[in-house]
Amino acid sequence: MMLHSPASMPSRAKIPRPTVKRLSLYLRELESQATSPPRTISSRQLGNALGLTDAQVRKDLAYFGQFGHPGVGYQFSELTTELRHILGTDRSWRAIVVGAGNIGRAVINSEHLANKGFAIIAVVDSDPGLIGTTVGGHRVRPISDLTSIITAENPEIGMVAVPANAAQSVTDELIAAGVKGLLNFAPVRLKVDDSVAIVSVDLTVSLEQLAYKITLGLTGEGDETPRHPG
Ligand code: NAI
């Protein structure tokens, strides 16, 4: 059975963030089995692989419609296709990277991103020592070219990989030039208007989450499996 069509889907804004985060984990797990995919996969199998309960898996997927087949599970290829559709990864995305330092270079050099449909189309930096050098096949261009690059090439995503004190001004420029979403690596809360999507990546937050889980004896990628029940 298919999921809701986008028109009949419940408002995305009402779907809890942790659910959306888990959809990526479900997709990653399915894609890891893609070389010899099973015909079907049950909520228990999917949950077990990720340290989640089958009830959690069913609840998450139910936000997107009544699907799955009682006693059988989910059709593997159908679920993979639908998760990609829901997450928007069944299309390609174009990104400009601002800041060609440690983080920027790691992102630019990641083949994994390109394989997942995220193409870096340009890299800009303010350091005269970096401008004109090549990183991951891209010539680093001056920050003063940012607006003209975005106007000409229309990337939807801007990646902010500059020091914290430069992050807001870079963000303002990216938005004014027309990007639709920002991936922010700088450890600051950026001010953006409601027209722009933003996701921040912070290893410190992830490490704090890990410390919390170890402290509580939580295992797996979920948050409800005590290591020592009772
Ligand atoms: P870095 O110093 O190696 O690179 C920053 C780059 O930004 C430099 O090439 C610099 O020339 C450039 N830059 C500075 N001002 C600019 C401007 N106004 N316009 C264009 N380019 C500009 O720094 P690194 O290690 O790559 O870190 C980048 C950011 O990521 C920092 O805010 C850092 O705090 C943060 N960070 C985030 C982590 C995370 O988990 N998300 C982990 C480590 C660092």
Side-chain angles (χ1 to χ4, degrees):
M1 204 183 298
M2 294 297 286
L3 295 168
H4 284 304
S5 67
S8 63
M9 225 181 247
S11 163
R12 299 276 178 104
K14 293 193 180 130
I15 297 166
R17 290 278 294 279
T19 291
V20 179
K21 222 168 166 181
R22 283 191 292 270
L23 295 186
S24 291
L25 298 181
Y26 300 150
L27 181 57
R28 193 173 73 191
E29 178 57 29
L30 296 178
E31 288 179 337
S32 77
Q33 298 184 30
T35 44
S36 53
R39 208 170 59 76
T40 60
I41 187 162
S42 68
S43 48
R44 182 173 296 272
Q45 288 168 321
L46 199 46
N48 278 348
L50 297 167
L52 298 167
T53 63
D54 50 337
Q56 180 72 71
V57 174
R58 284 196 299 275
K59 187 176 170 200
D60 287 340
L61 296 178
Y63 277 107
F64 302 93
Q66 293 302 313
F67 71 113
H69 306 267
V72 179
Y74 305 101
Q75 297 289 344
F76 186 91
S77 60
E78 182 183 282
L79 185 57
T80 306
T81 302
E82 293 293 351
L83 285 174
R84 284 190 185 132
H85 181 66
I86 291 165
L87 290 167
T89 56
D90 55 352
R91 52 160 289 184
S92 55
W93 296 90
R94 293 154 59 79
I96 181 167
V97 177
V98 186
N102 296 311
I103 297 279
R105 278 199 299 273
V107 170
I108 297 157
N109 283 317
S110 168
E111 282 178 22
H112 187 61
L113 288 183
N115 293 338
K116 289 281 182 184
F118 296 94
I120 308 292
I121 57 107
V123 182
V124 296
D125 201 287
S126 60
D127 180 352
L130 279 177
I131 294 166
T133 62
T134 301
V135 179
H138 296 273
R139 189 172 58 84
V140 179
R141 296 174 61 179
I143 183 71
S144 54
D145 282 0
L146 183 121
T147 300
S148 61
I149 294 169
I150 294 174
T151 304
E153 309 219 24
N154 239 346
E156 299 91 351
I157 295 172
M159 299 198 192
V160 179
V162 298
N165 61 7
Q168 187 63 53
S169 63
V170 158
T171 295
D172 295 344
E173 275 191 72
L174 284 165
I175 294 172
V179 300
K180 303 282 180 277
L182 295 162
L183 188 65
N184 173 37
F185 291 97
V188 284
R189 191 168 178 82
L190 298 173
K191 295 185 201 76
V192 297
D193 66 43
D194 287 348
S195 66
V196 181
I198 180 161
V199 169
S200 291
V201 179
D202 191 332
L203 291 179
T204 312
V205 171
S206 300
L207 284 168
E208 283 168 4
Q209 297 291 311
L210 180 61
Y212 171 82
K213 288 176 73 164
I214 294 171
T215 306
L216 262 69
L218 302 172
T219 58
E221 297 218 42
D223 54 8
E224 79 285 355
T225 314
R227 190 184 301 138
H228 308 295

